Amino acid sequence: MFSFTNSRRTGLPRAVLRWLQSLDLTVSPRHFCRDFSNGYLIAEIFSWYYPEDIQMHSFQNGTSLAVKLSNWSQLGKFFAKRNLKPIRELIDGTIHCKPGAAEIFVQDIYTMLTNRRIKHIQDEEIDFSDHLYQDKLPMVARSTASRAIKTNIKLTEIMVEPNINKNRQKVNAIINMHLQRRLLEREQHPERFNIKPTLGARAIRRPSIMTESSNTLQREKFPYVSTSTEIRGKMGVHFKTIQVKQAERCPFDVNLNVGTYVKGLQVAREI
């Protein structure tokens, strides 16, 4: 029998535990991750609602992979017959004993059979990796790449799916997640990885002094610039009017000088 004090240990809401207790299951689940993996208790739960479709004598309460696949194969046929659509990721996570998968799957069955909603479970994204657990650990205790692969990929997953390419894709996804986490750690704690700051990061920036010096240099280079009148244009752009001194006109007549130059050339040719 279930006790109401197990809600904190199992992570299930009190309403779900009461519902399981009312079913009077033949096996009392102590470890949800292990006890629900073979599908026997799942079949017993559905047998209370669909006794004509599920016969418990055809299910075995064993721990071998062959027993698990046999029980879940029968449950798959039952789901297709009754047009029930449980989430495939929850089934796979329950079979392979992923942490938290059995608890979420039981709550999904609870909402499916009782038409009640559990908001904090159904609104969360399904993720059976140890990402949240690793974030809670200090950096010295976090998994390496090889340890992350061993933790997130169970042996039963490889035995059920012998395709090398699919298993390789799972391994690459885990390695990419691990590398992204390491890059984030290097950005957040550069001193731990002996990352020296760049020259730009070391430079002391004083914007007030720089702006004042630039204004003084502009005044020295362009003394004729009048900063008194300003014209505000579109997008908040400031335009300044510039006063330029025009060159003085030549005091002598250009035409007279040209005539004198021509006469001088003629005299030189006669000589």
Side-chain angles (χ1 to χ4, degrees):
M1 298 294 291
F2 297 99
S3 61
F4 294 141
T5 59
N6 289 337
S7 60
R8 182 178 298 179
R9 186 184 65 183
T10 59
L12 292 175
R14 189 178 296 271
V16 179
L17 289 175
R18 289 177 178 176
W19 172 69
L20 288 175
Q21 187 180 22
S22 65
L23 298 178
D24 195 14
L25 301 176
T26 57
V27 179
S28 177
R30 297 179 179 272
H31 303 280
F32 277 65
C33 182
R34 181 189 63 193
D35 296 335
F36 282 91
S37 62
N38 58 2
Y40 183 83
L41 290 177
I42 302 296
E44 189 173 0
I45 291 173
F46 280 101
S47 65
W48 283 93
Y49 292 86
Y50 303 95
E52 67 278 3
D53 294 331
I54 294 182
Q55 304 297 328
M56 290 305 300
H57 61 81
S58 60
F59 291 86
Q60 300 179 18
N61 189 14
T63 58
S64 64
L65 182 61
V67 171
K68 291 181 180 181
L69 296 178
S70 176
N71 292 342
W72 284 102
S73 177
Q74 297 181 59
L75 286 173
K77 295 177 182 179
F78 163 72
F79 293 149
K81 180 180 178 180
R82 286 293 179 176
N83 198 19
L84 300 175
K85 298 179 180 179
I87 302 175
R88 185 63 193 178
E89 287 79 3
L90 293 178
I91 296 177
D92 293 338
T94 305
I95 294 174
H96 303 302
C97 299
K98 293 297 182 69
E103 290 83 350
I104 300 176
F105 189 44
V106 169
Q107 296 179 68
D108 187 61
I109 295 173
Y110 170 77
T111 58
M112 188 187 304
L113 297 177
T114 61
N115 293 325
R116 298 176 183 176
R117 180 177 175 82
I118 304 175
K119 183 178 180 180
H120 69 281
I121 291 295
Q122 296 182 355
D123 293 344
E124 293 181 356
E125 185 180 358
I126 298 175
D127 183 16
F128 298 134
S129 64
D130 62 341
H131 178 72
L132 297 177
Y133 173 72
Q134 293 295 326
D135 290 340
K136 296 178 181 179
L137 296 175
M139 285 189 292
V140 294
R142 293 177 183 177
S143 300
T144 59
S146 59
R147 183 63 181 175
I149 294 172
K150 295 178 182 179
T151 305
N152 293 293
I153 296 182
K154 303 294 184 179
L155 180 60
T156 54
E157 293 186 65
I158 301 175
M159 296 173 63
V160 171
E161 185 59 61
N163 192 343
I164 298 177
N165 293 327
K166 291 185 177 180
N167 292 327
R168 188 176 297 170
Q169 291 176 0
K170 294 180 182 179
V171 172
N172 291 333
I174 294 172
I175 292 176
N176 291 333
M177 289 178 60
H178 178 76
L179 292 177
Q180 291 177 2
R181 186 183 297 114
R182 296 289 289 180
L183 290 175
L184 183 61
E185 292 175 358
R186 291 173 69 91
E187 293 178 358
Q188 294 178 348
H189 306 281
E191 67 280 355
R192 177 176 176 79
F193 298 91
N194 198 18
I195 299 176
K196 297 181 179 179
T198 60
L199 183 61
R202 294 183 188 178
I204 300 175
R205 294 175 176 82
R206 298 178 180 177
S208 59
I209 298 176
M210 294 295 292
T211 52
E212 291 177 359
S213 60
S214 61
N215 291 334
T216 53
L217 289 175
Q218 288 181 359
R219 290 174 184 174
E220 293 176 358
K221 289 183 179 180
F222 306 101
Y224 301 109
V225 176
S226 176
T227 58
S228 60
T229 58
E230 294 183 356
I231 303 174
R232 183 180 294 274
K234 296 182 179 180
M235 303 298 292
V237 180
H238 296 274
F239 299 94
K240 297 180 180 179
T241 58
I242 301 175
Q243 297 179 356
V244 181
K245 289 186 177 181
Q246 296 182 356
E248 297 181 357
R249 298 185 62 182
C250 186
F252 53 88
D253 192 357
V254 178
N255 296 327
L256 179 62
N257 292 337
V258 172
T260 306
Y261 178 72
V262 173
K263 290 182 180 178
L265 289 177
Q266 292 178 357
V267 173
R269 287 179 181 176
E270 291 177 356
I271 296 172

